[in-house]
Structure formats: structure tokens, C-alpha cells
Amino acid sequence: MRSLQSEIEQRGRRIFELVDEHPESLFSKAGFYQRLMILSMRDERLKHQLFRFVDVLPSLSTSGEVVEHLQEYFTDAHDSRKISEFLGAGIRLARVVPWISGPVLRWNVSEMARQFIAGRNPNDVMRTLRKRRTQKIGFTVDLLGEAVVSETEADEYAARYLDLLEGLARETKNWTDPIGKNAELFPVVNLSVKTSALYSQMSPADPANAIAHLAPKLRPILRRARELGAFINFDMESYAHKNTTLELFKTIFTEEEFRDWPHAGIVIQAYLRDSEADLRDLIEWGRARGTRFAVRLVKGAYWDYETAKSRRNGWDCPVYLQKPASDANFETLTRLLLENESIVTSAFGSHNVRSIAHAQAFAEELGIDRGRFEFQLLYGMAGPIKRALVDMGYRVREYCPVGELLPGMSYLVRRLLENTSNEGFLRAKFSENVPAEDLLRDPCEILRRSRNGVLPASNATINMTTTKPNTQSGAYENAPLTNFALPENQEKMRAALREQRKQFGRKVPLTINGEKIWTDKMFSSVNPSQPDQIVGYAAEADIPEAKRAVAAARAAFEKWRRTSFEERCQLLERVAEILERRRFELSALEVFEVGKPWAQGDGDVAEAIDFCTFYARQMRLIGRPRLTQNVPGEESYQHYWPRGVALVIAPWNFPMAILCGMVSAALVTGNTVIMKPSEQSVIIGAMLMEIYEEAGVPPGVLNFLNGKGSVIGAHMVDHKDVDLIAFTGSREVGLRIWESAGKTREGQRELKRVICEMGGKNAMIVDSDADLDEAIVDSIYSAFGFQGQKCSALSRLIVLEENHDRVVERLLGAAASVRVGNPEEPGIVVGPVIDEAAYRRILDYIEVGKSEATLAYQAKEVPLHGYFVPPTIFTGVKPNMRIAREEIFGPVLSVIKVRDLDEAIEVANGTDYALTGGFFSRSPANIERVKAQLEAGNVYINRPCTGAIVGRHPFGGFKMSGSGTKAGGKDYLLNFLIPRVVTENVTRHGVAPEKTPEYRDEFLWPRKR
């Protein structure tokens, strides 16, 4: 009896023999496509430029634009020479006759797309399907374009699925099964459905909401499919929606109407580390349901996206990082499927002959008839393998995407990447002629020989799980965001919300010199979603408490300034550890006290952690005296002294991050601090004081005052013993502090330093060639995320007139689909504004907007109780209008139409502010121009203009947005320090040391022994 490996090799060789009887290039279409693929495989750098050009091409409306983009993408001399080889005479014609070369390029890309896209519409695809029928190949049809930004677009997709289903059933009503047996398992009509195309507001944190919206849209499709005798398959896309898709599938097919229907399937992606657990759970569910269902097993098509996303967020990477690991898991899942053939029908989606041969051999070993499972391959790829499988008597189905070129570009680029991947099977077989014995090797054996399956060092940074970054050496790592796609994190957040609700009405004191101080006056902090709920009460400080706090900080300064920077750094790291431990508790408190949605509250706590660890790291870099120049006979060292007593005045919109960031910067640099949080977020401020005390901050080094800014804030700004003021807040208050701090008071020993971060009137420009799927989603998030209550929030959307109408149409539809409600519920985007004063001020601005411009959209369904302002969009806005010039700090967006990019930049730069700005474009030249000319402290290209990350995006603006400092940047701590140089002549009788060390110990006295 031969081993399974021997059987696999025999079957694999047989497939290759049949393939070689009908030799075909990997690139079945010659000409343009063949040249593109060959060039891409030769030059990795050029490949990405080529694919970016292919991506933008369908959105270009004129031949001149086509040629301009071609020249912009390939300006490099090396690239230009290569592209000349690629396009031949086309590029040489470009400058002379663009009206010829533009259409030629567009036609070539359209023809290339047809390599992978089976038809533009249902009628078009039938020609392909009839041809495949003669080859005994079945089909599953999918509608291209998974990005929907509004419920209008989602409803259109649902209608298109129904139309496609009807058309396929009508055109194939007399078709029969190509194999002629087990036909009851494999209906002729097979439709693949992307659930993300049916609901625009899918949130990984709220699967229940997604299911509640998706199920009503799916039931008519499923009902009609059952009536027509068709099969429906749920496609699987990104990992974020995986759990929701699985739960949706199990929920809807457990319903009485569909419980006994066997013609439904779902995709399992073998490159996911948790795919085996998911498959076992599905099989267990299927047995309990008592009806057969199907699984399409694939490797997965989003590897680049998943690895990049996990690296950005600091998450465990959900996919295997080595291709042999995915291949090995595919075989594990293949065996699991075939061992449970009595309840699950298997469809193996792979072009890898080893994977195919393994499924054949294992099915044979189990005695499963080859007509009871099928192989699925992509349209336009691996034609010889499909023919070989048909010749061997196996059931073959082709995955046939249908749609226009523009929505199909993301699919096309994924296929291009797959075909040119260094590890791709098709490239190895059909382009590089790798020997069959190598292609049929056991992936488990490959892993064992590759460091026993351990990831090579070059990829080691992908799996980032550390929550306490190494602040002393190596690359800085941010605290990972909480992945709310994971059910365990959803439950932790719900539990934290329940626990925080139990603590409503708590009372917090002042903290001065380590003592808890209660006063005769208390003020309350309310839940803006339900203002009758008191989150907590805080003791209110007055002038006597303010004087006492300044005195305590001044008295503690001398000892704290002499404390080594390493001890101060370790204090911050202990704070970071406590913040991490209490992360869900603090995030839940933010939901209640300031109305933060789940992810935004978590992001605020993560940023606070980052400030602690990043500033500790930076202090270690600048804490030791450093030699200025290596001069024989002289030692000259520059180092830093703290400024003195720091007053930190923080806002409520980032109640933990900004407060913690300014406090930690002041403390780690050796200053003592009086911390004054906003009145609206005083309970969160009290939690930070509690955390610092737990971490061991000495008495008097950090003092906590609650009270009215106009009373105690103004008093301390003017106090002679306050040396530094770190303020984040409104322009009005910031300018008052700036002016007051410039006056020298009697007895004042230092010129006051002011770190002043204020507001913005932030603009994003949408170019004529922008990817609107990205631009609309990111604009909505930037404008309405956390109710627009971010200094970085989008306030002005500047749109070139060529694109204006399309942008506005999709923007209004997307805004109408945004979820507004109590942020206790996961997935809410827009919650309440902070208090009644903000509520009334924003509504007043909306009335101003109605008198100045056109009210294009205003949400109608908002909660009746609480400070909920409806998301609002104005069009026809002119740059000189109040709503285009004044900071509103709420969910109000102005759309401004401009002629061209010249005017767009002029309008964007035409306000008093310069905080954040953005640009959506696929023109390399225009992108470079905006990078150079847009007046903003933080410029974002093709992404939201909010969400700065410590270390990665140092944050702060200029003009009336701030004093030019960069929180979370490498030079931020210098604002809290005074530079000092100590020079010593070390020459004695003409003799000097040969070498002076670059760094020396701190100047501390008395020295610690």
C-alpha cells in the first residue's frame, strides 16, 4: 500500500502530464498583458508603480490625463526606459498625439481586465458561461465592487444580486450537470455574495447590528434562490468581518425557513491561523442543524492587507507569514472537510497542483466518489489545470466576476499581484518552469527544513503583541489598539461599561502635596448622552487651593529636579503599565463622561500609554550631558535643566491622552506639575492622578486641581512661581494665556514658557482622479467621528468642479448611513456633543449656515434626550462665509467647489488656522505639490486627517492653531527644558586627555553612592 505522499506525487505528475499536452503561457493573453506581467516579475519596484497606474487609469476622463499620469508615474530615468520597452511606440507617441496614446492605453487595460473579469453585465457574462459549458466547466458568479459607502449603494447591490440570479436562472434553465451524477449537491446556478456590499456600516465591534441589517437584505435573495433551485455562497473578505460573516451564516441558516436547505455555502480562508477552529465550529453547527451545507476552501487573497494592518495596529497577525504554512493548513482543512463529507460538501479553491492532488488522494483514501466534491479556480487563470481536471473526471467550477472596469480594479490588482508573487504557484510552474518534484513537495517538510517553521528574522516585526515597548533600544513600538473584532474584547468592554455604571455618583477630591482635599463646593460631571445621569462629583478649588498647589509644587521642585532622569523615566513606564491594566475601565469611563465611541475611547487610552513610553524613551536619549565638540584640552558638555513649576491645562475631547501627555512630558523632564483637567472630564482626570499615585509619584511633584478655568486657571497663569504653562484648548483661551504669560510679575524669576495648542479649520482636497471609495469613507470619518469634536476634524471639503457632483452625491448618501446614537452601543460613529453650551453653539452655527449656503443634508433620526447634534452638510459654501472660516467643533461639514488645484490650495490656506489638512489624489505630481504647499502642521495624503499616532505623526500646528510644537515628537520635551553648557579646561601643564567621552553622567549633587 503506497503512502499518501506517493499518491499525491503520482496524481500531481498526472496533472502536469495533461497540462503539458496543451502548453500555455501563464499569460494567456499576449501583447500588453504579457509584457506587463514579465516586466513586473523582473522589477519589484517598478511593479508597484505599474499597478498603481493600472488602478487609476479607469478614473481618468481624457487622453491628456492618461498621458500626464503615465509621465508622472514613470519620471525616473530607470523606470522611463523600462516603460518604453513595455509600451513600445505608445509612450513615444504620448507627447505628440495624446488623443491616440490615451485611448490605446485605456483599451489595453480594459482588455487586460477581461482576462480576469468574465463580463461587464449579466448578458455579457453568459457568452463566457456558455463557452465554459461546452468545456464541462461550471460557474459561480460574483458581482465586483465590495466597497459601498452608503445604504443607497448597498440596496442597489442587493437589487443587482436578485437581477443577476433571475437572469442566470432564466438563461440556464435547460442546462444539466456536466458530470451527470450527484447533481443534487451542485445546482447549475451558483451565486457568490459579498456581505460587505449589502451593509455600509458593518462594524467589527458590533456583529449583532450587522446581522440585524444584513439578514433582511439576504432573505429575499435566499428565498428566490431556493425557488429557482440555485446555490448561494457567502464570500469571505477581510479578517475584521470574518466573525460577523460566520455568525450571520449560522444565524440565517438556522432559521426555520432555511434550516433544511442544503444549497448554501461559506468560504474558509486557510491562510488564517484560526481557520481550523472556525471550520470545526461550522461542522459542529452543521451536524446540530441536521442539513448538509458547503464550504469553499481557499488560501486567501488579502495577505498584504492583513499583514500591513496588523503591523500598523500592533496586533497579532491573523495570517500565516510563510506560504508553506498556509499550504500545510490547507491540507489539514482538506482532510477535516473530507472526513466530514456526510454533512459538508467541499469545494477546493486552489491553483496549486500539490493542494489539488492532496485533495484527490485523500478523498480516494476515504473512498469518496470524485463527483461529490469539486475544484474551483478563478476565471482567466490556470486554464490548463482546469482542462486537466475535467479530463480526469473531476468536477470543476470557475469563479467568474462580473462588473464594470472601475469597480473591478481592486479585484484586478489582486489578481495581478497574485500572478507576479514570488511565491505564487502559477508563476513557478508556467513562467519559471520549476520542476514538478519541487512543486509537489510536502509543505510540512518545507517548514521543517525552514528553521523548523520559525519565521525568518526579516519578517520578525510583523507579529507585534508587546504592550510595553522597549524604550531603551531598538525601534519604538506603539501600544496596540484593542481589536474589537475579537469577541473576548467585546465582552471585556461590555463588562467595563457595566462596572462603570455602578460607580456613577462617585466623589473625587483635590490632591495637593499628596493630601486629599475636600472643599465646601462640589461640581458634577454628567453623561452627555443622558444628562440626568451624574458620572461623578468633584471638589472645586478656589484661589486658596490654587495658591497652596503652587507652593507645594515649588517646594517639591528642588528635590525632583535632582532626581535622576532614569528614575523619572521608570515612573512613566509604571504609569503606562497601570494604564494598560485598567484600559477597558478607562475606555468605558470615557464613553460615559465625554461620549466617546468604543474605539475612540480605547484609542485615547492607548495614546496616553504611548506618551508615557515615548517620552521615557526620548528622555533617555537627551538625559545625559553630551559633548558639543571634541577639542583637545577642553570638555564642553550640553545638558538640560527643568524649567520649574508647570501648569497643565487640558481639554475634555482627549481627556486621558492630552492630559497624560502634557503631564508626563513635564514630569519626565524634572518639572513639578499642577494638573488641571477640563471641568467636563474631571473624573477621568482624577483617575490619572490616582494612577500616578499608584505608580509612586512623590508628594507635591504632581498636584491635582479641579475648578473653573476663569478663576483658578487665570490665577495660576499669572502666578509668579509658575514657570511654564502647557495648554491645549480653544483659540480664545489660548491667546489670553499667551498674552498674560508675556507680562512679568513682581517677584517672577523666569520668563514664562507657553506651550499652546489650539484649534483648526481643517480642509481636505479631493482631486479629479481621487479614489472616491477611499475619499468618501475617510471624509465622513474625519468630519463626523466623535461628533467632529477633534481639533484635527475635517471642517471644509474642497472639491474640484470636475469631480464635484459625483463626490457630493456619494458623500450625502454616506452621511445618511452613519450610525448616530448612544456610544455605549458598539459601532456608533456619532454620539453626543460634550454639554448644553456646545449643543446650543453648534445649532446656532447650523442656522448661520442655512442663511449663508445650501443645507444639503441633516440627519433626522437622532436621540431625543442628550446633547445630540445631527450630522450636517452644507454645499455651495464660499471661502469667506462664517461656516468656512470659524471653528465650529461639531458635526458640521462645508463643501466648497473650486475650479482647479490652484484655487483649492489657495482656499485651503486661506484661514487663520494651520493644524491638519488632507488631499485625495492618484496624481504623483499633484501629491508632491500639495506636500510642498499646503499650510498645515500635519498633512495627510489619501487617508483621514485625524488619528495622529505618537512617534509616527508628531502633532501640532501653527498660525492660530498653535505655537509650532509637536506633541509626540522627538523634540517635544525640549519645550519643557532649559539648555545649559558646562565647559572645563582640562589641560594641566600642557598635558590634555587624548580623548573625551561623548556622554558623561548627569550633573547631580550630592552624588548618590
Side-chain angles (χ1 to χ4, degrees):
M1 185 175 180
R2 287 192 299 188
S3 67
L4 180 63
Q5 176 63 20
S6 297
E7 287 290 337
I8 293 169
E9 291 174 355
Q10 181 190 28
R11 291 170 184 275
R13 284 194 294 270
R14 178 57 182 153
I15 294 172
F16 285 135
E17 289 170 4
L18 292 170
V19 164
D20 292 340
E21 288 179 9
H22 304 282
E24 181 180 299
S25 167
L26 168 59
F27 318 120
S28 56
K29 286 185 180 291
F32 180 92
Y33 175 62
Q34 187 176 42
R35 293 197 301 274
L36 174 66
M37 293 296 95
I38 291 171
L39 184 57
S40 298
M41 289 190 296
R42 289 177 183 168
D43 191 325
E44 189 71 20
R45 181 173 66 91
L46 186 57
K47 176 173 83 172
H48 290 286
Q49 287 295 87
L50 280 167
F51 290 176
R52 287 174 65 201
F53 176 68
V54 167
D55 175 59
V56 71
L57 186 57
S59 69
L60 305 179
S61 57
T62 68
S63 297
E65 288 178 343
V66 172
V67 173
E68 284 176 9
H69 280 69
L70 180 69
Q71 293 168 348
E72 289 173 17
Y73 274 102
F74 307 107
T75 55
D76 181 90
H78 167 82
D79 291 349
S80 182
R81 186 177 65 256
K82 293 267 189 171
I83 285 297
S84 293
E85 298 171 11
F86 161 46
L87 295 176
I91 195 168
R92 291 189 290 274
L93 284 169
R95 292 182 178 85
V96 183
V97 280
W99 55 271
I100 293 178
S101 54
V104 167
L105 283 169
R106 192 188 302 278
W107 181 86
N108 273 321
V109 171
S110 297
E111 284 299 298
M112 177 175 62
R114 291 185 67 82
Q115 165 90 2
F116 305 111
I117 299 174
R120 294 185 178 89
N121 52 54
N123 292 331
D124 193 26
V125 78
M126 283 310 304
R127 288 194 289 270
T128 299
L129 302 187
R130 291 189 186 99
K131 182 178 179 182
R132 292 296 183 269
R133 184 188 177 211
T134 65
Q135 299 166 350
K136 296 185 178 182
I137 294 174
F139 65 84
T140 180
V141 176
D142 164 52
L143 282 176
L144 283 173
E146 54 262 36
V148 292
V149 302
S150 69
E151 286 308 277
T152 299
E153 294 181 6
D155 291 342
E156 289 172 356
Y157 261 96
R160 288 176 61 198
Y161 276 126
L162 270 173
D163 289 345
L164 181 59
L165 187 61
E166 295 283 355
L168 291 171
R170 182 176 60 253
E171 295 293 330
T172 63
K173 61 183 177 181
N174 296 320
W175 291 19
T176 57
D177 183 77
I179 290 185
K181 57 181 179 178
N182 300 306
E184 72 281 0
L185 300 179
F186 302 97
V188 170
V189 175
N190 188 306
L191 182 66
S192 291
V193 175
K194 288 185 175 70
T195 57
S196 66
L198 299 177
Y199 183 38
S200 65
Q201 302 300 304
M202 283 184 74
S203 168
D206 197 357
N209 172 269
I211 292 169
H213 284 81
L214 286 166
K217 294 181 181 180
L218 282 163
R219 288 189 191 103
I221 298 172
L222 300 176
R223 198 170 290 133
R224 188 59 180 144
R226 187 168 190 175
E227 292 168 355
L228 295 170
F231 182 99
I232 298 293
N233 196 81
F234 284 20
D235 270 349
M236 195 69 72
E237 301 166 88
S238 69
Y239 184 76
H241 297 314
K242 186 243 327 169
N243 288 337
T244 298
T245 306
L246 287 166
E247 193 59 34
L248 172 67
F249 182 80
K250 291 185 289 186
T251 297
I252 204 163
F253 289 109
T254 306
E255 294 174 358
E256 191 63 31
E257 181 178 3
F258 304 110
R259 188 183 185 95
D260 61 347
W261 187 39
H263 296 149
I266 191 168
V267 169
I268 290 289
Q269 297 163 311
Y271 70 175
L272 294 179
R273 296 174 184 270
D274 54 7
S275 53
E276 182 177 352
D278 288 336
L279 182 54
R280 289 187 182 279
D281 180 71
L282 268 176
I283 290 169
E284 183 180 347
W285 164 83
R287 292 198 179 282
R289 175 176 176 250
T291 304
R292 175 177 285 273
F293 69 103
V295 167
R296 177 197 295 153
L297 181 63
V298 302
K299 300 286 174 65
Y302 298 84
W303 189 90
D304 295 280
Y305 169 80
E306 300 293 0
T307 52
K309 182 177 180 180
S310 63
R311 290 184 68 176
R312 283 197 308 272
N313 293 332
W315 294 342
D316 286 349
C317 191
V319 299
Y320 290 107
L321 299 176
Q322 291 176 290
K323 185 180 181 298
S326 296
D327 292 340
N329 192 48
F330 190 93
E331 295 187 5
T332 297
L333 302 183
T334 295
R335 292 191 293 272
L336 184 57
L337 284 169
L338 292 173
E339 286 166 350
N340 290 275
E341 197 276 335
S342 61
I343 194 65
V344 61
T345 301
S346 301
F348 301 108
S350 177
H351 300 145
N352 187 320
V353 170
R354 159 76 199 197
S355 300
I356 293 168
H358 172 267
Q360 293 177 352
F362 196 74
E364 185 76 19
E365 187 175 281
L366 295 178
I368 299 172
D369 185 273
R370 64 183 57 187
R372 293 186 66 82
F373 59 92
E374 68 181 12
F375 294 102
Q376 294 191 5
L377 296 90
L378 296 173
Y379 174 80
M381 296 171 67
I385 296 176
K386 295 170 193 170
R387 284 195 295 270
L389 292 174
V390 170
D391 290 347
M392 295 171 74
Y394 286 97
R395 187 182 300 277
V396 177
R397 190 179 303 275
E398 197 168 56
Y399 187 91
C400 299
V402 177
E404 295 296 334
L405 182 57
L406 186 56
M409 287 316 297
S410 61
Y411 178 85
L412 172 59
V413 171
R414 283 201 299 274
R415 298 289 76 81
L416 296 178
L417 286 169
E418 183 175 345
N419 273 351
T420 57
S421 165
N422 290 332
E423 296 184 311
F425 179 88
L426 294 181
R427 172 175 173 173
K429 165 61 182 169
F430 294 101
S431 180
E432 297 178 349
N433 298 314
V434 174
E437 55 267 27
D438 290 343
L439 297 174
L440 295 174
R441 289 171 62 197
D442 184 347
C444 292
E445 181 61 28
I446 297 173
L447 281 175
R448 280 191 289 270
R449 294 183 180 181
S450 174
R451 301 192 178 194
N452 293 317
V454 176
L455 183 68
S458 61
N459 293 330
T461 58
I462 289 180
N463 191 9
M464 298 192 297
T465 59
T466 305
T467 56
K468 183 187 175 186
N470 180 348
T471 62
Q472 299 188 52
S473 62
Y476 175 74
E477 296 174 5
N478 297 95
L481 299 171
T482 296
N483 187 352
F484 285 113
L486 303 179
E488 58 267 31
N489 288 336
Q490 296 168 20
E491 183 47 43
K492 285 179 183 177
M493 189 63 180
R494 290 191 180 94
L497 289 165
R498 290 192 296 268
E499 188 59 34
Q500 283 300 308
R501 186 173 282 280
K502 293 177 185 176
Q503 297 184 45
F504 278 7
R506 77 189 91 184
K507 294 179 173 63
V508 298
L510 313 175
T511 301
I512 301 175
N513 202 29
E515 297 179 35
K516 301 304 176 186
I517 308 294
W518 299 94
T519 63
D520 295 336
K521 292 187 288 186
M522 303 282 286
F523 64 86
S524 60
S525 178
V526 305
N527 177 0
S529 295
Q530 296 175 277
D532 57 339
Q533 294 180 347
I534 307 298
V535 176
Y537 298 91
E540 182 176 347
D542 211 327
I543 300 299
E545 290 77 27
K547 289 180 177 178
R548 185 174 170 183
V550 174
R554 173 57 63 189
F557 175 63
E558 284 305 316
K559 184 176 181 181
W560 185 243
R561 72 182 300 188
R562 305 295 179 191
T563 301
S564 73
F565 71 82
E566 181 58 35
E567 288 184 45
R568 302 195 301 258
C569 292
Q570 290 175 13
L571 171 68
L572 264 61
E573 288 168 344
R574 291 193 297 273
V575 169
E577 290 170 356
I578 299 167
L579 286 167
E580 181 62 45
R581 189 182 74 232
R582 299 178 63 176
R583 184 168 185 157
F584 287 96
E585 169 197 349
L586 296 168
S587 299
L589 180 56
E590 294 204 16
V591 170
F592 287 122
E593 193 170 23
V594 298
K596 286 262 188 184
W598 283 23
Q600 305 257 354
D602 175 75
D604 191 54
V605 179
E607 187 175 7
I609 296 168
D610 284 346
F611 277 131
C612 290
T613 56
F614 183 78
Y615 289 153
R617 176 189 178 90
Q618 293 308 121
M619 191 62 213
R620 287 192 174 103
L621 294 176
I622 65 172
R624 297 174 65 197
R626 185 175 186 178
L627 193 68
T628 57
Q629 285 185 345
N630 198 347
V631 178
E634 182 178 278
E635 290 182 357
S636 190
Y637 284 94
Q638 178 169 325
H639 73 127
Y640 298 96
W641 271 357
R643 288 185 173 274
V645 175
L647 170 62
V648 170
I649 303 174
W652 50 262
N653 62 332
F654 290 90
M656 183 59 76
I658 293 179
L659 182 64
C660 184
M662 293 191 293
V663 166
S664 59
L667 289 177
V668 81
T669 48
N671 301 282
T672 53
V673 177
I674 303 154
M675 172 171 68
K676 186 205 167 296
S678 170
E679 296 98 301
Q680 293 94 333
S681 57
V682 66
I683 306 301
I684 296 167
M687 293 303 101
L688 182 61
M689 184 69 219
E690 182 181 292
I691 288 167
Y692 259 103
E693 288 180 314
E694 181 183 345
V697 69
V701 170
L702 177 61
N703 304 275
F704 176 63
L705 288 189
N706 313 310
K708 294 183 175 64
S710 58
V711 179
I712 63 169
H715 173 80
M716 289 187 289
V717 166
D718 292 344
H719 200 292
K720 65 182 179 63
D721 285 332
V722 171
D723 303 294
L724 179 150
I725 301 110
F727 168 81
T728 301
S730 70
R731 170 179 173 177
E732 177 188 6
V733 176
L735 292 181
R736 217 162 40 228
I737 290 173
W738 192 271
E739 179 183 10
S740 182
K743 298 175 182 177
T744 304
R745 316 290 171 176
E746 184 178 349
Q748 183 175 324
R749 289 164 293 188
E750 297 281 351
L751 296 177
K752 293 181 187 283
R753 180 61 173 261
V754 179
I755 301 163
C756 195
E757 299 176 32
M758 299 180 289
K761 193 65 182 173
N762 310 300
M764 298 181 79
I765 301 169
V766 182
D767 204 354
S768 58
D769 67 346
D771 182 334
L772 295 193
D773 289 343
E774 289 182 354
I776 299 301
V777 170
D778 291 349
S779 296
I780 290 291
Y781 175 79
S782 298
F784 299 140
F786 187 39
Q787 304 77 266
Q789 297 177 122
K790 303 178 184 180
C791 53
S792 57
L794 171 63
S795 182
R796 300 174 296 149
L797 190 66
I798 302 171
V799 187
L800 273 64
E801 61 182 1
E802 183 180 339
N803 226 8
H804 178 268
D805 293 347
R806 283 182 293 164
V807 170
V808 169
E809 179 184 5
R810 297 194 73 191
L811 181 75
L812 300 184
S817 306
V818 167
R819 294 180 64 191
V820 181
N822 190 325
E824 287 182 67
E825 296 300 317
I828 291 295
V829 175
V830 180
V833 298
I834 189 62
D835 58 17
E836 184 175 4
Y839 174 79
R840 297 198 178 283
R841 186 188 69 252
I842 298 165
L843 291 182
D844 287 345
Y845 266 111
I846 290 174
E847 291 304 311
V848 170
K850 290 177 181 178
S851 69
E852 290 183 324
T854 301
L855 178 63
Y857 170 75
Q858 187 170 55
K860 295 180 176 61
E861 296 182 7
V862 298
L864 297 176
H865 303 290
Y867 303 126
F868 291 90
V869 173
T872 303
I873 298 176
F874 290 101
T875 56
V877 178
K878 303 301 180 186
N880 62 345
M881 293 178 177
R882 285 185 61 193
I883 58 170
R885 292 184 292 106
E886 299 175 14
E887 186 178 30
I888 299 173
F889 221 66
V892 180
L893 177 63
S894 297
V895 180
I896 303 172
K897 180 164 70 172
V898 294
R899 295 184 310 275
D900 51 28
L901 188 57
D902 290 341
E903 186 181 2
I905 294 172
E906 180 183 351
V907 170
N909 292 343
T911 72
D912 295 340
Y913 300 94
L915 188 53
T916 70
F919 186 47
F920 289 97
S921 176
R922 288 180 285 188
S923 163
N926 288 352
I927 288 172
E928 287 304 308
R929 179 182 177 187
V930 167
K931 287 177 181 178
Q933 294 185 339
L934 192 61
E935 294 177 2
N938 288 71
V939 176
Y940 297 106
I941 309 295
N942 291 325
R943 53 147 288 163
C945 66
T946 64
I949 295 174
V950 172
R952 195 181 306 173
H953 315 123
F955 187 78
F958 50 97
K959 293 166 70 173
M960 288 297 112
S961 290
S963 54
T965 56
K966 283 292 187 184
K970 293 182 178 180
D971 57 357
Y972 184 67
L973 294 185
L974 299 180
N975 296 287
F976 296 80
L977 294 164
I978 297 171
R980 183 169 178 261
V981 176
V982 177
T983 304
E984 179 185 0
N985 174 12
V986 293
T987 302
R988 294 293 181 269
H989 305 293
V991 178
E994 291 185 7
K995 189 174 182 182
T996 304
E998 183 179 2
Y999 291 95
R1000 57 150 287 159
D1001 292 339
E1002 292 174 87
F1003 296 115
L1004 295 178
W1005 194 264
R1007 290 184 179 180
K1008 290 188 178 181
R1009 297 188 181 276

